[in-house]
Amino acid sequence: MTTENITKFNSKALIQCETGNYHTFCPISCVSWLYQKIEDSFFLVIGTKTCGYFLQNALGVMIFAEPRYAMAELEESDISAQLNDYIELKRLCLQIKNQRNPSVIVWIGTCTTEIIKMDLEGIAQKLEAELRIPIVVARANGLDYAFTQGEDTVLAAMIQRCPEEMPILLKKQIKGTHPPLVLFGSLPSSIAKQLTFELEKNGIFISGWLPGDNYSELPILDSNVYVCGVNPFLSKTATNLMRRRKCQLINAPFPIGPDGTRAWIETICQTFNIEPTNLQTRETEIWNSLDKYLSLIHGKSVFFMGDNLLEISLARFLIRCGMIVYEIGIPYLDHRFQKSELELLIKTCIDMNVPIPKIVEKPDNYKQIQRIKDLKPDLVITGMAHANPLEAHGITTKWSVEFTFSQIHGFTNAKDILELVTRPLRRSLGLKTFQNLEKI
């Protein structure tokens, strides 16, 4: 099947839309990993007490731990316009600057700021000039389809803060002969270094990451820069990079699983006309190290209800591992941004000689539960809201949110994905946890 036929088949028969209600965390939860990634930042969530309760419970960090985020609670006097928003936010930002001295303050707007039409951008512009500290406004409200899209909103807002011209001194320090390459997506520093190392082994050198470990490390973005994403929920960031900075997007599968990581590196190498080296051997080594897991899940079936937009990449990897995927539920699907991932999914199904799973965008959970009862999958990967009810009906489940907060990118973390997938299966089969497994 050619690429043209795969794309045609994908768009015509593979994807359905049920327009059901989506059940997910609030996107303000992106604060939990972004404040740790950008080490010199401070995140200020502007919302109601409900937002504060959610952050307190979801992040599990007590106030005396002094994390680099805070809650600006809107009260009745704020909502009824009895208080001056500018004065109140200035007081809070001045306190943050004096006590924490961050390099940037990120305001996270919520549903309430949208409803009362709070002019966060206008206020931020005035305060930034007065306090002499960058203030980035990101409206990560509950109108998004998935909680992971909160990161997408923040990164899209940061694009305008990236420099457009490269100093002459830095130009002399650039390695490689290919055009500048910037990777976008928040990953732990150790995983970012692993992906950077894998690319460098194949002659590809990274010019920067969005975001970096510090706000001062924002990459240079212009029409000469190529960009490539590492997560499938960053479609808004990709669009802004192309439209606002005229960057050239490398549309590649995402580096999740050995097969996805190899395809990701190969696509980048092909873009720069560079021949990759030893990728086949590298991938084979990883698959050989996963034999104990593969023997357990081979032939097992899995059903994705949809929660974090990682579903297609995870399903593709599990199909390569020998599992049968009945359905891939996904809250939102950007067909253009995930084009390469969809093509790799279909190719993987053809190579493994298994049925191509149905993809359901914005699934109706009631209908999904009926399909789960009929199909009886060995494992259902679902949001926390549905896990316990399904378990009560004797259906083995796995929280999809765990894949969001685990290290699943690159060659070396494929074992972590399978550890998450096989844990509930081992529990249901009464098997003991694998022990003494050597690290890859």
Side-chain angles (χ1 to χ4, degrees), residues 238-368:
T239 301
N240 283 4
L241 284 168
M242 290 187 290
R243 290 181 180 176
R244 295 187 176 184
R245 292 302 181 90
K246 309 302 179 184
C247 296
Q248 303 178 59
L249 177 67
I250 300 175
N251 197 311
F254 300 99
I256 295 175
D259 52 336
T261 304
R262 176 187 173 183
W264 182 73
I265 295 174
E266 283 181 338
T267 303
I268 295 174
C269 289
Q270 289 170 7
T271 302
F272 297 133
N273 295 318
I274 294 176
E275 187 69 26
T277 57
N278 298 325
L279 273 182
Q280 175 67 53
T281 304
R282 179 71 167 136
E283 183 186 2
T284 303
E285 290 175 353
I286 300 300
W287 285 119
N288 291 339
S289 69
L290 302 175
D291 282 343
K292 287 189 176 182
Y293 292 101
L294 300 180
S295 62
L296 179 61
I297 65 175
H298 184 78
K300 295 288 193 300
S301 56
V302 61
F303 189 107
F304 288 84
M305 290 193 70
D307 183 49
N308 56 14
L309 304 189
L310 294 170
E311 288 82 12
I312 294 177
S313 300
L314 291 173
R316 177 258 305 152
F317 168 61
L318 294 180
I319 290 172
R320 179 64 70 180
C321 291
M323 295 190 77
I324 300 171
V325 178
Y326 286 146
E327 179 175 312
I328 305 173
I330 186 168
Y332 168 75
L333 177 60
D334 188 305
H335 297 247
R336 293 174 301 174
F337 187 55
Q338 296 217 43
K339 177 177 177 290
S340 296
E341 186 65 71
L342 288 167
E343 291 173 358
L344 183 59
L345 169 68
I346 297 171
K347 181 179 181 301
T348 300
C349 292
I350 294 171
D351 292 343
M352 300 299 292
N353 195 26
V354 297
I356 298 174
K358 176 174 63 176
I359 298 177
V360 182
E361 186 179 4
K362 288 181 283 189
D364 185 303
N365 291 142
Y366 177 79
K367 293 179 181 179
Q368 277 190 319

Side-chain angles (χ1 to χ4, degrees), residues 27 30-31 34 38 43 106-108 136-140 148-160 210-211 234 236-237:
C30 70
V31 172
L34 286 177
I38 311 173
F43 284 77
V106 182
W107 288 359
I108 304 294
V136 176
V137 178
R139 296 183 176 271
T148 48
Q149 289 182 290
E151 175 185 332
D152 193 19
T153 304
V154 173
L155 297 190
M158 282 190 171
I159 289 173
Q160 289 301 94
L210 177 68
L234 300 174
K236 187 187 302 182
T237 303

